[in-house]
Amino acid sequence: ISVFLQELPVNNKEALADIRKEIDILRKVRCPFIVSYFGTMVSGEMLYILMEFADLGSLREVIELTNME
């Protein structure tokens, strides 16, 4: 499994609350069609999310690529 480490600034409390909601959902979901969530860490002003790497990109990117062909 390839992993992806996403870095997000945590200086906006409203955005952080939204991110935490998404993390809670990812933590609970186990589906072969959704990237796996492995963990979260906060260091200083950055939030790090460790998840499965989607080598085709985001769902939006796949849809846009498919529509172009």
Side-chain angles (χ1 to χ4, degrees):
I1 295 177
S2 298
V3 296
F4 174 69
L5 181 64
Q6 184 172 9
E7 297 177 297
L8 301 166
V10 293
N11 51 4
N12 181 331
K13 290 182 181 183
E14 191 173 303
L16 181 59
D18 289 340
I19 292 167
R20 287 183 189 252
K21 288 177 189 175
E22 288 189 41
I23 290 170
D24 287 341
I25 293 168
L26 281 174
R27 183 179 288 134
K28 295 173 186 172
V29 173
R30 296 287 181 253
C31 176
F33 304 110
I34 300 175
V35 296
S36 297
Y37 165 83
F38 299 119
T40 305
M41 181 183 86
V42 177
S43 178
E45 294 290 317
M46 296 299 290
L47 171 71
Y48 298 92
I49 304 172
L50 186 62
M51 61 182 67
E52 181 179 8
F53 178 71
D55 57 347
L56 293 177
S58 70
L59 179 57
R60 180 186 315 147
E61 293 168 335
V62 171
I63 290 170
E64 288 173 356
L65 180 65
T66 305
N67 287 335
M68 294 178 114
E69 294 177 352

